[in-house]
Amino acid sequence: MFDCGRLYDVRATAFCLCIGLAASELHARDYRAEDLASLSLEELLDIDVSLGVRRGESHRESSAAVYVLNRDSIQRSGATTIPELLRLVPGVEVTRFGSAKWGVGIRGFNGGIFTNRLLILVDGRSMFSPAKVGMFWDTLDTLINDIERIEVVRGPGASLWGSNAFNGVINIVTRHSADTQGGMLEVGAGNEEKWFTGYRFGVQLGEQKYLRAHIKAFERDDAVRPDGLENRDGWNSVQAGLRYDQGSPEIGAFSLQLNAYEGAEGEELVLPDQNALNLQSLFYTRAEFSGINFMTHWQYQKNERSHYSLKFYADHSERTDLLFNLTVDSYDADFQHSYRIDDRQRFVWGLAYRYTDDKLPDQYIRFTREQRHYDVASGFLQYEFAPIKNWRLIAGSKLEENDFSGSEVQPNARAIWRYSAQGSAWLAVSQAKRTPSRTEHDGRVDFDYVAPQVQLQIQGRESFRSETLRAYELGWR
């Protein structure tokens, strides 16, 4: 674990560094930033999205309930965190439980702090934590100005993106480093967000070679309870990263991203007292978290029909809080090939493998196995066919093998009809799975003081099976 006791010194250094570097860069701007506010509605609907069919397609052509939060809306929102940005998306429910905790759900399925039926991606990289049964939202951070768009599919996306894309998929797409040249400084302060600062600088290293680096730090005050008392959950964090982009898909595009973070926040655990009539705050601690990750992405378009993509990422994270004391290392490789047979037929297929090694010593949640290795291997195939003009049929499935529930099959069939230049309608039938987590498999929670002479234990079990969703959708745009 990084030494969070040095966090104030690190933040002060980061703040001074931002001020010093920005002195000569305040005139700089993003030279290639697209002004989406100048686009017409028709042009906005033609913006490419990738979630619906796992390749770029026009928003108006998508056979799913896709919503795109564009860069202009992001900049105008004033939001300083990604969960708060998601409040702008129709059909997405965001509940805040404190200074650094959120619950995010789609179509009414909000699991609270355990967001286990929604898959969150950053540039196609899964942020799902098998240990927690969901997301650690306090570790999902970057400069808001570096987000290009947020794509949201309301409805199952498991046939393409795998388990836990149960009720929806959210993909946060960051900006190409060519679009973030020059310098950018942001500084702010307030009564709840005590202070925040961020600095980014981008340079061109050669022909079609671009690099940007950024650093961000902040401190937020305790949240306030309905009774007016402070929640003792103040949050502070430092995050830094860089991105390198080279080439173009036509000749072979390559990108590299590296990010590191460190933070701390207050936490209270509220449980019933011995007479089970009142709620009592039994535990308080200062949670600490840190991590480092990198991702490489290679794209190559052999010709106008064939496009290849290969991603690899590695992640190391550590966390100590009231519920968990965990160290997790994960490695993921994802290959995809899109091929257009002719003007009426296309297929997309891919293979993926994820390996995770974790260590979870006993905390409030105890585990029958302190250390465990587990992996997920999967493949998918999707076929698109246009039988007649303005009609398109899509069918495919995801096949997955994991150590918690075994083999999973997640099929999908869709039809879309473009009845005019402005309108389309679609029908979809799909099946999605939410696979068990490490906590549901090996975890145990003991409640020693639920009531006098009463002891309660919640125990995970290896026979825990996946949740299955069969969805029938009818949509119009």
Side-chain angles (χ1 to χ4, degrees), residues 312-331:
F312 173 80
Y313 76 84
D315 181 278
H316 172 81
S317 62
E318 301 180 18
R319 188 180 191 94
T320 301
D321 59 26
L322 282 170
L323 298 180
F324 298 96
N325 181 7
L326 61 86
T327 301
V328 181
D329 293 294
S330 59
Y331 309 90

Side-chain angles (χ1 to χ4, degrees), residues 382-403:
Q382 180 167 275
Y383 173 71
E384 300 179 39
F385 176 57
I388 58 176
K389 185 178 180 181
N390 296 330
W391 277 89
R392 188 157 56 101
L393 306 178
I394 303 171
S397 182
K398 182 92 168 183
L399 304 176
E400 186 175 281
E401 178 74 24
N402 69 80
D403 287 348

Side-chain angles (χ1 to χ4, degrees), residues 102-324:
W102 288 267
V104 179
I106 287 182
R107 291 178 171 172
F109 292 89
N110 191 328
I113 61 172
F114 299 100
T115 306
N116 57 7
R117 294 174 179 83
L118 177 63
L119 184 62
I120 311 296
L121 308 171
V122 177
D123 292 323
R125 176 172 75 94
S126 173
M127 302 297 292
F128 184 82
S129 171
K132 183 193 175 181
V133 206
M135 276 286 303
F136 288 110
W137 288 102
D138 50 11
T139 65
L140 180 60
D141 194 22
T142 189
L143 287 176
I144 298 298
N145 193 264
D146 284 353
I147 299 176
E148 179 64 33
R149 65 184 183 276
I150 298 178
E151 304 173 357
V152 180
V153 167
R154 301 184 300 278
S159 64
L160 292 177
W161 301 100
S163 296
N164 304 307
F166 198 76
N167 288 322
V169 187
I170 297 175
N171 187 28
I172 300 158
V173 181
T174 61
R175 302 174 69 190
H176 193 284
S177 54
D179 296 326
T180 52
Q181 295 296 286
M184 188 277 295
L185 169 70
E186 61 179 18
V187 178
N191 60 332
E192 295 298 332
E193 298 197 29
K194 291 185 175 180
W195 63 266
F196 61 90
T197 182
Y199 180 75
R200 180 195 69 217
F201 186 71
V203 295
Q204 183 172 358
L205 303 178
E207 184 176 357
Q208 293 189 330
K209 297 179 181 179
Y210 302 90
L211 175 71
R212 76 158 176 260
H214 78 269
I215 185 169
K216 175 182 180 179
F218 62 83
E219 180 179 359
R220 297 196 172 117
D221 199 6
D222 300 329
V224 179
R225 301 175 181 174
D227 59 9
L229 299 177
E230 290 189 341
N231 208 35
R232 297 199 298 172
D233 61 354
W235 176 26
N236 46 55
S237 178
V238 175
Q239 189 262 349
L242 62 84
R243 172 169 174 160
Y244 172 76
D245 291 285
Q246 176 180 327
S248 63
E250 291 76 14
I251 62 175
F254 173 80
S255 69
L256 168 67
Q257 298 183 48
L258 176 66
N259 290 279
Y261 60 88
E262 177 185 12
E265 65 194 63
E267 284 194 325
E268 287 185 307
L269 188 61
V270 180
L271 292 174
D273 66 7
Q274 292 191 25
N275 61 26
L277 296 177
N278 301 305
L279 291 178
Q280 179 179 343
S281 175
L282 298 182
F283 301 104
Y284 172 79
T285 191
R286 190 71 180 160
E288 300 178 354
F289 53 88
S290 60
I292 185 169
N293 59 76
F294 80 91
M295 180 176 75
T296 61
H297 184 198
W298 172 76
Q299 299 180 74
Y300 175 63
Q301 186 164 323
K302 184 177 181 180
N303 50 52
E304 63 178 12
R305 293 188 174 187
S306 184
H307 181 269
Y308 297 89
S309 172
L310 177 64
K311 291 181 181 178
F312 173 80
Y313 76 84
D315 181 278
H316 172 81
S317 62
E318 301 180 18
R319 188 180 191 94
T320 301
D321 59 26
L322 282 170
L323 298 180
F324 298 96

